[in-house]
Amino acid sequence: MALLLRKRLILIEEESTYSTDAAPTGADAVLVRDLSITPQQSDVVGRNLIRPYLGASEQLLANTRVECTFSVELAGSGTAGTAPQYGKALKACGLSETVVASISVTYAPVSSSFDSVTIHYNIDGVRHKVTGARGTFTLNASVGEIPTIDFTFTGIYVAPDDSSLPSVTYANQATPLIFKNGNTDTFALLNYSGALQSVSFDIGNSIVYRELVGGSKEVLITDRGANGSVTIEAPTLAQKDYFAAALVDSGLGTNTNLTFQHGTTAGNIVDFASTRVDIGDVSYGDQDGIAMLTIPYTAIPSTTGNDEFSLIYT
């Protein structure tokens, strides 16, 4: 029987014990785009034998793990103070989750005690279980498009099995809004509110899979280097001199913010905030004959740590 690629789903559940299948159900289904899986990702070790005739040697596989990628639309749960359905995925990318009932859910970076998730990827009745999964993500938003969070997860390989597609209940993912004037506001970069074309943010997690003799199979987050890029309509130097700001080497000052808010209705508003961004080399671009600036940045934690950015759902 042919498997229909269109008939796919992903279930995500937080693990109470690392790498133990959290047994997600249809209530843990997440609405995603661009869903794909590398069901076996291994380090290939060639024997490279020397023999008195031509021919290949056997290839042995080591450190077999699974990679799963997907995108979610940048939208809230629909109810202020309720986490979005993909909140478990954010936590498994090294973020904490702070819920204020009926008001907000805030995600901020941590440097220890990382969460992990179990992912069930089902393609028309063939189920791939991924345990101990941790990952990284990028946030991408451009005018005229639906902003997304794009996840890449690495997890422990479990042999697939035949399992019927479960009945699913999609919840806590509100209808997204186009990234545009009226839906998106409060943008500022280094205390200047310019005309924004696009913004990207990469949490920059370093993900390592380890499988040592006498140890356990595990996926580790070993570092974080949050960075991104902003494209705005080029201002005059009198309005804002980003070229001079990029060359400041005396440490971060007080006007080093990057903020924007997307959404208009309670329960479906997302704020990105960083109070400590260090910009890099600024370059010109062209859009419709209008000069644009592309400004790369790095989000830097303070001496307190774990405060270089936050995502706030209200």
Short mmCIF file of all heavy atoms in Angstrom, two decimals, residues 26-79:
data_model
loop_
_atom_site.label_atom_id
_atom_site.label_comp_id
_atom_site.label_asym_id
_atom_site.label_seq_id
_atom_site.Cartn_x
_atom_site.Cartn_y
_atom_site.Cartn_z
N GLY A 26 -3.40 12.26 20.72
CA GLY A 26 -3.94 13.18 19.72
C GLY A 26 -4.13 14.59 20.24
O GLY A 26 -4.15 15.56 19.47
N ALA A 27 -4.25 14.75 21.57
CA ALA A 27 -4.39 16.07 22.17
C ALA A 27 -3.08 16.84 22.15
O ALA A 27 -3.06 18.05 22.42
CB ALA A 27 -4.90 15.95 23.60
N ASP A 28 -1.97 16.16 21.83
CA ASP A 28 -0.65 16.80 21.78
C ASP A 28 -0.24 17.15 20.35
O ASP A 28 0.92 17.49 20.10
CB ASP A 28 0.40 15.87 22.40
CG ASP A 28 0.10 15.56 23.85
OD1 ASP A 28 -0.11 16.51 24.62
OD2 ASP A 28 0.05 14.36 24.21
N ALA A 29 -1.18 17.07 19.42
CA ALA A 29 -0.87 17.39 18.03
C ALA A 29 -0.59 18.88 17.88
O ALA A 29 -1.21 19.72 18.52
CB ALA A 29 -2.04 16.99 17.13
N VAL A 30 0.38 19.18 17.01
CA VAL A 30 0.76 20.57 16.74
C VAL A 30 0.56 20.84 15.26
O VAL A 30 0.99 20.04 14.40
CB VAL A 30 2.23 20.82 17.13
CG1 VAL A 30 2.62 22.27 16.85
CG2 VAL A 30 2.46 20.50 18.61
N LEU A 31 -0.10 21.95 14.94
CA LEU A 31 -0.25 22.37 13.55
C LEU A 31 1.08 22.93 13.06
O LEU A 31 1.59 23.90 13.63
CB LEU A 31 -1.34 23.43 13.43
CG LEU A 31 -2.79 22.97 13.30
CD1 LEU A 31 -3.72 24.17 13.38
CD2 LEU A 31 -3.00 22.19 12.02
N VAL A 32 1.62 22.32 12.01
CA VAL A 32 2.94 22.72 11.54
C VAL A 32 2.94 22.87 10.02
O VAL A 32 2.02 22.43 9.32
CB VAL A 32 4.02 21.69 11.95
CG1 VAL A 32 4.09 21.54 13.45
CG2 VAL A 32 3.78 20.33 11.28
N ARG A 33 4.00 23.47 9.53
CA ARG A 33 4.30 23.56 8.10
C ARG A 33 5.69 22.97 7.89
O ARG A 33 6.47 22.82 8.82
CB ARG A 33 4.28 25.02 7.65
CG ARG A 33 2.96 25.70 7.84
CD ARG A 33 3.04 27.22 7.85
NE ARG A 33 3.83 27.77 6.75
CZ ARG A 33 3.89 29.06 6.44
NH1 ARG A 33 3.18 29.94 7.11
NH2 ARG A 33 4.62 29.49 5.43
N ASP A 34 5.99 22.65 6.63
CA ASP A 34 7.35 22.23 6.25
C ASP A 34 7.86 21.11 7.16
O ASP A 34 8.99 21.16 7.66
CB ASP A 34 8.32 23.41 6.29
CG ASP A 34 7.88 24.55 5.38
OD1 ASP A 34 7.39 24.27 4.27
OD2 ASP A 34 8.00 25.72 5.78
N LEU A 35 7.03 20.12 7.37
CA LEU A 35 7.37 19.01 8.26
C LEU A 35 8.21 17.97 7.52
O LEU A 35 7.83 17.50 6.45
CB LEU A 35 6.08 18.37 8.78
CG LEU A 35 6.21 17.10 9.62
CD1 LEU A 35 7.00 17.37 10.90
CD2 LEU A 35 4.82 16.55 9.95
N SER A 36 9.35 17.63 8.10
CA SER A 36 10.18 16.58 7.49
C SER A 36 10.97 15.87 8.59
O SER A 36 11.15 16.39 9.69
CB SER A 36 11.14 17.16 6.45
OG SER A 36 12.12 17.98 7.07
N ILE A 37 11.42 14.67 8.25
CA ILE A 37 12.19 13.89 9.20
C ILE A 37 13.34 13.20 8.48
O ILE A 37 13.19 12.78 7.32
CB ILE A 37 11.30 12.85 9.92
CG1 ILE A 37 12.04 12.22 11.11
CG2 ILE A 37 10.80 11.78 8.96
CD1 ILE A 37 11.14 11.38 12.01
N THR A 38 14.47 13.16 9.12
CA THR A 38 15.58 12.31 8.69
C THR A 38 15.57 11.14 9.67
O THR A 38 16.08 11.25 10.79
CB THR A 38 16.92 13.04 8.75
OG1 THR A 38 16.84 14.23 7.96
CG2 THR A 38 18.05 12.16 8.22
N PRO A 39 14.93 10.01 9.30
CA PRO A 39 14.66 8.95 10.28
C PRO A 39 15.91 8.24 10.79
O PRO A 39 15.89 7.67 11.87
CB PRO A 39 13.75 7.99 9.51
CG PRO A 39 14.03 8.26 8.08
CD PRO A 39 14.37 9.71 7.97
N GLN A 40 16.97 8.28 10.00
CA GLN A 40 18.26 7.73 10.44
C GLN A 40 19.36 8.67 9.96
O GLN A 40 19.58 8.84 8.77
CB GLN A 40 18.49 6.33 9.87
CG GLN A 40 17.56 5.27 10.44
CD GLN A 40 17.82 3.91 9.82
OE1 GLN A 40 18.05 3.79 8.62
NE2 GLN A 40 17.78 2.86 10.64
N GLN A 41 20.03 9.28 10.93
CA GLN A 41 21.15 10.18 10.63
C GLN A 41 22.36 9.65 11.40
O GLN A 41 22.40 9.73 12.63
CB GLN A 41 20.83 11.61 11.03
CG GLN A 41 21.88 12.63 10.63
CD GLN A 41 21.48 14.03 11.05
OE1 GLN A 41 21.52 14.37 12.22
NE2 GLN A 41 21.08 14.85 10.10
N SER A 42 23.32 9.08 10.67
CA SER A 42 24.42 8.37 11.31
C SER A 42 25.77 8.91 10.84
O SER A 42 25.87 9.54 9.78
CB SER A 42 24.36 6.87 11.00
OG SER A 42 23.11 6.31 11.34
N ASP A 43 26.78 8.65 11.65
CA ASP A 43 28.16 8.86 11.22
C ASP A 43 28.60 7.60 10.47
O ASP A 43 28.54 6.49 11.03
CB ASP A 43 29.07 9.10 12.42
CG ASP A 43 28.65 10.33 13.22
OD1 ASP A 43 28.08 11.25 12.62
OD2 ASP A 43 28.91 10.35 14.44
N VAL A 44 28.98 7.75 9.22
CA VAL A 44 29.34 6.61 8.39
C VAL A 44 30.84 6.34 8.53
O VAL A 44 31.67 7.22 8.33
CB VAL A 44 28.99 6.87 6.91
CG1 VAL A 44 29.39 5.68 6.05
CG2 VAL A 44 27.50 7.16 6.76
N VAL A 45 31.16 5.10 8.91
CA VAL A 45 32.54 4.68 9.10
C VAL A 45 32.88 3.64 8.04
O VAL A 45 32.32 2.54 8.04
CB VAL A 45 32.77 4.11 10.51
CG1 VAL A 45 34.23 3.71 10.69
CG2 VAL A 45 32.33 5.10 11.57
N GLY A 46 33.77 3.99 7.13
CA GLY A 46 34.17 3.06 6.09
C GLY A 46 35.30 2.15 6.54
O GLY A 46 36.22 2.59 7.24
N ARG A 47 35.25 0.86 6.16
CA ARG A 47 36.33 -0.05 6.53
C ARG A 47 37.59 0.19 5.71
O ARG A 47 38.70 -0.04 6.19
CB ARG A 47 35.86 -1.51 6.36
CG ARG A 47 34.73 -1.90 7.30
CD ARG A 47 34.41 -3.37 7.18
NE ARG A 47 35.54 -4.19 7.63
CZ ARG A 47 35.62 -5.51 7.44
NH1 ARG A 47 34.65 -6.15 6.78
NH2 ARG A 47 36.67 -6.18 7.88
N ASN A 48 37.41 0.62 4.46
CA ASN A 48 38.55 0.99 3.61
C ASN A 48 39.63 -0.11 3.56
O ASN A 48 40.82 0.14 3.76
CB ASN A 48 39.18 2.31 4.08
CG ASN A 48 38.20 3.46 4.01
OD1 ASN A 48 37.36 3.52 3.10
ND2 ASN A 48 38.28 4.37 4.96
N LEU A 49 39.17 -1.32 3.29
CA LEU A 49 40.08 -2.47 3.25
C LEU A 49 40.95 -2.45 2.00
O LEU A 49 40.51 -2.04 0.91
CB LEU A 49 39.26 -3.76 3.29
CG LEU A 49 38.39 -3.95 4.55
CD1 LEU A 49 37.53 -5.18 4.40
CD2 LEU A 49 39.26 -4.02 5.79
N ILE A 50 42.20 -2.90 2.15
CA ILE A 50 43.12 -3.00 1.03
C ILE A 50 43.13 -4.45 0.56
O ILE A 50 43.44 -5.38 1.32
CB ILE A 50 44.53 -2.57 1.45
CG1 ILE A 50 44.51 -1.09 1.88
CG2 ILE A 50 45.51 -2.78 0.29
CD1 ILE A 50 45.82 -0.62 2.45
N ARG A 51 42.77 -4.64 -0.73
CA ARG A 51 42.65 -5.99 -1.29
C ARG A 51 43.23 -5.99 -2.69
O ARG A 51 43.36 -4.92 -3.31
CB ARG A 51 41.18 -6.42 -1.30
CG ARG A 51 40.55 -6.51 0.09
CD ARG A 51 39.05 -6.71 0.04
NE ARG A 51 38.37 -5.58 -0.60
CZ ARG A 51 37.07 -5.33 -0.48
NH1 ARG A 51 36.31 -6.13 0.26
NH2 ARG A 51 36.52 -4.31 -1.08
N PRO A 52 43.56 -7.18 -3.22
CA PRO A 52 44.20 -7.23 -4.54
C PRO A 52 43.20 -7.15 -5.69
O PRO A 52 43.44 -7.69 -6.77
CB PRO A 52 44.92 -8.58 -4.51
CG PRO A 52 44.06 -9.44 -3.64
CD PRO A 52 43.56 -8.51 -2.58
N TYR A 53 42.07 -6.50 -5.47
CA TYR A 53 41.08 -6.34 -6.53
C TYR A 53 40.27 -5.08 -6.22
O TYR A 53 40.30 -4.54 -5.10
CB TYR A 53 40.15 -7.56 -6.62
CG TYR A 53 39.60 -8.03 -5.30
CD1 TYR A 53 38.45 -7.46 -4.75
CD2 TYR A 53 40.24 -9.06 -4.59
CE1 TYR A 53 37.95 -7.90 -3.54
CE2 TYR A 53 39.74 -9.49 -3.36
CZ TYR A 53 38.59 -8.91 -2.85
OH TYR A 53 38.10 -9.33 -1.65
N LEU A 54 39.54 -4.60 -7.23
CA LEU A 54 38.74 -3.40 -7.07
C LEU A 54 37.43 -3.70 -6.37
O LEU A 54 36.93 -4.82 -6.40
CB LEU A 54 38.46 -2.77 -8.44
CG LEU A 54 39.68 -2.43 -9.30
CD1 LEU A 54 39.23 -1.79 -10.62
CD2 LEU A 54 40.64 -1.51 -8.56
N GLY A 55 36.87 -2.69 -5.74
CA GLY A 55 35.57 -2.86 -5.11
C GLY A 55 35.47 -2.09 -3.80
O GLY A 55 36.49 -1.79 -3.16
N ALA A 56 34.27 -1.77 -3.45
CA ALA A 56 34.02 -0.98 -2.25
C ALA A 56 34.10 -1.84 -0.99
O ALA A 56 33.99 -3.07 -1.04
CB ALA A 56 32.65 -0.33 -2.33
N SER A 57 34.31 -1.17 0.13
CA SER A 57 34.29 -1.83 1.44
C SER A 57 32.98 -1.52 2.14
O SER A 57 32.25 -0.60 1.78
CB SER A 57 35.45 -1.33 2.30
OG SER A 57 36.70 -1.66 1.73
N GLU A 58 32.70 -2.30 3.14
CA GLU A 58 31.47 -2.10 3.90
C GLU A 58 31.47 -0.75 4.61
O GLU A 58 32.52 -0.24 5.00
CB GLU A 58 31.32 -3.21 4.93
CG GLU A 58 31.12 -4.60 4.34
CD GLU A 58 31.38 -5.68 5.37
OE1 GLU A 58 32.51 -5.74 5.89
OE2 GLU A 58 30.44 -6.44 5.66
N GLN A 59 30.28 -0.22 4.78
CA GLN A 59 30.08 1.02 5.52
C GLN A 59 29.36 0.68 6.81
O GLN A 59 28.30 0.06 6.80
CB GLN A 59 29.25 2.01 4.70
CG GLN A 59 29.84 2.34 3.33
CD GLN A 59 31.09 3.19 3.42
OE1 GLN A 59 31.10 4.24 4.03
NE2 GLN A 59 32.15 2.73 2.81
N LEU A 60 29.93 1.08 7.92
CA LEU A 60 29.32 0.84 9.23
C LEU A 60 28.73 2.15 9.75
O LEU A 60 29.28 3.23 9.51
CB LEU A 60 30.36 0.30 10.20
CG LEU A 60 31.13 -0.93 9.74
CD1 LEU A 60 32.12 -1.38 10.80
CD2 LEU A 60 30.18 -2.07 9.38
N LEU A 61 27.61 2.05 10.46
CA LEU A 61 26.92 3.23 10.95
C LEU A 61 27.11 3.38 12.45
O LEU A 61 26.95 2.42 13.21
CB LEU A 61 25.43 3.15 10.62
CG LEU A 61 25.07 3.01 9.14
CD1 LEU A 61 23.56 2.99 8.96
CD2 LEU A 61 25.69 4.13 8.31
N ALA A 62 27.45 4.60 12.88
CA ALA A 62 27.64 4.89 14.30
C ALA A 62 26.82 6.12 14.69
O ALA A 62 26.49 6.96 13.86
CB ALA A 62 29.12 5.13 14.59
N ASN A 63 26.52 6.21 15.97
CA ASN A 63 25.82 7.38 16.52
C ASN A 63 24.53 7.70 15.76
O ASN A 63 24.27 8.85 15.39
CB ASN A 63 26.74 8.61 16.52
CG ASN A 63 27.94 8.44 17.42
OD1 ASN A 63 27.84 7.88 18.51
ND2 ASN A 63 29.09 8.91 16.96
N THR A 64 23.73 6.69 15.54
CA THR A 64 22.48 6.89 14.80
C THR A 64 21.48 7.68 15.65
O THR A 64 21.15 7.30 16.77
CB THR A 64 21.87 5.54 14.41
OG1 THR A 64 22.80 4.84 13.56
CG2 THR A 64 20.57 5.71 13.65
N ARG A 65 21.02 8.78 15.09
CA ARG A 65 20.04 9.62 15.75
C ARG A 65 18.99 10.03 14.73
O ARG A 65 19.03 9.59 13.59
CB ARG A 65 20.68 10.86 16.38
CG ARG A 65 21.34 11.83 15.41
CD ARG A 65 22.83 11.59 15.27
NE ARG A 65 23.48 12.59 14.43
CZ ARG A 65 24.65 12.37 13.82
NH1 ARG A 65 25.26 11.20 13.92
NH2 ARG A 65 25.20 13.32 13.11
N VAL A 66 18.06 10.87 15.13
CA VAL A 66 16.97 11.31 14.26
C VAL A 66 16.94 12.83 14.26
O VAL A 66 17.17 13.47 15.29
CB VAL A 66 15.61 10.77 14.75
CG1 VAL A 66 14.49 11.18 13.80
CG2 VAL A 66 15.65 9.25 14.91
N GLU A 67 16.66 13.40 13.09
CA GLU A 67 16.47 14.85 13.00
C GLU A 67 15.08 15.11 12.46
O GLU A 67 14.66 14.51 11.47
CB GLU A 67 17.51 15.50 12.10
CG GLU A 67 17.37 17.02 12.02
CD GLU A 67 18.43 17.68 11.18
OE1 GLU A 67 19.55 17.90 11.71
OE2 GLU A 67 18.17 17.95 9.99
N CYS A 68 14.37 16.01 13.11
CA CYS A 68 13.02 16.37 12.69
C CYS A 68 12.94 17.89 12.61
O CYS A 68 13.34 18.59 13.54
CB CYS A 68 11.99 15.83 13.69
SG CYS A 68 10.26 16.13 13.19
N THR A 69 12.43 18.39 11.48
CA THR A 69 12.29 19.83 11.29
C THR A 69 10.84 20.17 10.97
O THR A 69 10.14 19.40 10.31
CB THR A 69 13.20 20.35 10.16
OG1 THR A 69 12.80 19.75 8.92
CG2 THR A 69 14.65 20.01 10.44
N PHE A 70 10.41 21.31 11.46
CA PHE A 70 9.06 21.78 11.17
C PHE A 70 8.98 23.26 11.52
O PHE A 70 9.82 23.81 12.23
CB PHE A 70 8.01 20.99 11.96
CG PHE A 70 8.21 21.01 13.46
CD1 PHE A 70 7.61 21.98 14.25
CD2 PHE A 70 9.00 20.05 14.08
CE1 PHE A 70 7.80 22.00 15.61
CE2 PHE A 70 9.19 20.07 15.46
CZ PHE A 70 8.59 21.05 16.23
N SER A 71 7.93 23.91 10.99
CA SER A 71 7.68 25.32 11.27
C SER A 71 6.29 25.48 11.86
O SER A 71 5.36 24.77 11.48
CB SER A 71 7.78 26.15 9.98
OG SER A 71 9.07 26.07 9.41
N VAL A 72 6.16 26.43 12.78
CA VAL A 72 4.85 26.80 13.30
C VAL A 72 4.63 28.27 13.00
O VAL A 72 5.57 29.05 12.86
CB VAL A 72 4.73 26.55 14.82
CG1 VAL A 72 4.93 25.09 15.15
CG2 VAL A 72 5.72 27.41 15.61
N GLU A 73 3.37 28.64 12.87
CA GLU A 73 3.04 30.04 12.65
C GLU A 73 3.17 30.80 13.97
O GLU A 73 2.82 30.29 15.03
CB GLU A 73 1.61 30.15 12.12
CG GLU A 73 1.43 29.49 10.75
CD GLU A 73 -0.01 29.19 10.40
OE1 GLU A 73 -0.80 28.93 11.32
OE2 GLU A 73 -0.34 29.22 9.20
N LEU A 74 3.73 32.00 13.89
CA LEU A 74 3.92 32.82 15.09
C LEU A 74 2.57 33.37 15.52
O LEU A 74 2.10 34.40 15.01
CB LEU A 74 4.91 33.95 14.81
CG LEU A 74 5.24 34.84 16.02
CD1 LEU A 74 5.98 34.03 17.09
CD2 LEU A 74 6.08 36.04 15.59
N ALA A 75 1.94 32.66 16.43
CA ALA A 75 0.62 33.04 16.92
C ALA A 75 0.48 32.54 18.34
O ALA A 75 1.15 31.58 18.76
CB ALA A 75 -0.49 32.47 16.03
N GLY A 76 -0.40 33.18 19.11
CA GLY A 76 -0.64 32.76 20.47
C GLY A 76 -1.64 31.62 20.54
O GLY A 76 -2.06 31.04 19.53
N SER A 77 -2.02 31.29 21.77
CA SER A 77 -2.96 30.18 21.99
C SER A 77 -4.40 30.58 21.71
O SER A 77 -5.26 29.73 21.54
CB SER A 77 -2.85 29.70 23.44
OG SER A 77 -3.31 30.72 24.33
N GLY A 78 -4.64 31.89 21.69
CA GLY A 78 -6.00 32.38 21.58
C GLY A 78 -6.57 32.83 22.91
O GLY A 78 -7.60 33.50 22.96
N THR A 79 -5.88 32.47 23.99
CA THR A 79 -6.31 32.85 25.34
C THR A 79 -5.12 33.40 26.10
O THR A 79 -4.11 32.69 26.27
CB THR A 79 -6.90 31.66 26.10
OG1 THR A 79 -7.98 31.09 25.35
CG2 THR A 79 -7.40 32.06 27.48
#
